[in-house]
Amino acid sequence: MTITVVGSINLDLVASAPRLPAAGETVTGATLARHPGGKGANQALAAARLGAEVRLIGRVGDDAMAGEALALLARGGVDLTEVAVDAEAPTGVALIAVDPSGENQIVVAPGANHRVTPAQLPARIDTALIVQLELPVATVEAAVARATGFVCANLAPAASVSDALLSRCDLVVVNETEAAFYGERLHRGGGRVVVTLGARGAELYQGGVRIAVATPPPVVAVDATGAGDAFVGAIVVALLEGMEPGAALAFACAAGARAATVAGAQPSLPDRAAVRTAGR
């Protein structure tokens, strides 16, 4: 299978702290790590590690961080020929604080990601397509409109999108907070909708009716960063391979759970062997 991902590329600066700060509070004693990230890049690598042929369309800055942000994608075999280099904006950066239980707080400085325009997209996207909302909404809408095959939209972070986008999607993935933001609009498009529930698993809806539920295997969470992206990549691969919906949902839950056991977004993304053994 071949998948095109139109999405964000970031370098994640991760501070692992004894606890997450309250508003206005400083917490010290953290350790700092740098990992490639960005929802688009993460989902592209997640699908590639599970066996898909993946190309990524996005944008990085003309700076030292770009090489770090793209390193694992290149090593993982993701086609980066349509990743543009922007001389006027820096590579996107995510500032992430993580506590010992794996919970996190994230602030993103999008940089070059917000300079991906519809002009950078091909006239047609004849493969399966995955999009998120860390690029300008107009660019995401254009990508979906140009797709001729299966379309998955991870509507995160929550933002206003058109009914046309929702009606074109074969699969929409949101978490509970995002589901509350979009409300019943999610179910009017006719495609399948997945609501992820963190450690409680996920629910799959068709036409507003819940048709499948899955729970993740028990794991010791280290860092939840990237777990949702592992889920998205896994459920798209599973559905494109022809898994029935309940099995696809369980496969994706296992991928997300496995990702939460390793620090960093892209370093945590599992291959098939790791998904099969999640929780053991």
Side-chain angles (χ1 to χ4, degrees):
M1 81 191 71
T2 304
I3 299 171
T4 297
V5 179
V6 176
S8 55
I9 303 165
N10 291 331
L11 183 65
D12 292 348
L13 304 181
V14 183
S16 298
R19 58 185 176 83
L20 298 178
E25 181 185 15
T26 298
V27 173
T28 190
T31 58
L32 181 68
R34 299 161 70 101
H35 301 292
K39 285 185 177 296
N42 295 347
Q43 291 171 18
L45 186 57
R49 285 187 177 166
L50 294 172
E53 181 179 329
V54 183
R55 68 168 175 167
L56 176 62
I57 300 175
R59 205 168 189 90
V60 293
D62 185 11
D63 53 35
M65 292 188 295
E68 287 186 76
L70 297 173
L72 291 184
L73 291 161
R75 196 180 308 163
V78 175
D79 181 348
L80 301 177
T81 56
E82 294 182 72
V83 173
V85 177
D86 195 311
E88 298 181 10
T91 299
V93 172
L95 307 176
I96 304 172
V98 182
D99 74 9
S101 73
E103 288 298 319
N104 59 39
Q105 295 174 339
I106 304 175
V107 175
V108 177
N113 291 306
H114 268 197
R115 291 168 60 89
V116 181
T117 68
Q120 189 178 330
L121 305 176
R124 287 167 55 97
I125 299 175
D126 291 324
T127 66
L129 172 67
I130 301 175
V131 296
Q132 324 76 32
L133 296 179
E134 287 188 335
L135 300 184
V137 172
T139 303
V140 175
E141 301 249 3
V144 171
R146 298 178 193 186
T148 63
F150 179 94
V151 174
C152 170
N154 175 210
L155 297 182
S160 179
V161 297
S162 69
D163 288 339
L165 181 146
L166 293 173
S167 64
R168 176 60 187 86
C169 291
D170 300 282
L171 179 68
V172 170
V173 181
V174 290
N175 64 23
E176 291 178 279
T177 301
E178 294 148 2
F181 175 87
Y182 294 106
E184 288 304 310
R185 288 186 67 215
L186 286 175
H187 302 288
R188 293 190 210 139
R192 292 170 175 164
V193 175
V194 170
V195 179
T196 59
L197 310 171
R200 292 178 287 125
E203 300 174 333
L204 176 61
Y205 294 83
Q206 180 85 55
V209 177
R210 192 173 68 180
I211 61 172
V213 178
T215 56
V219 298
V220 177
V222 171
D223 180 3
T225 311
D229 297 324
F231 181 100
V232 172
I235 196 165
V236 171
V237 168
L239 291 173
L240 291 176
E241 286 182 348
M243 282 192 201
E244 64 90 13
L249 196 66
F251 179 76
C253 282
R258 178 63 176 79
T261 67
V262 179
Q266 289 181 24
S268 75
L269 300 172
D271 59 16
R272 285 190 180 261
V275 174
R276 284 195 298 268
T277 59
R280 296 182 188 175

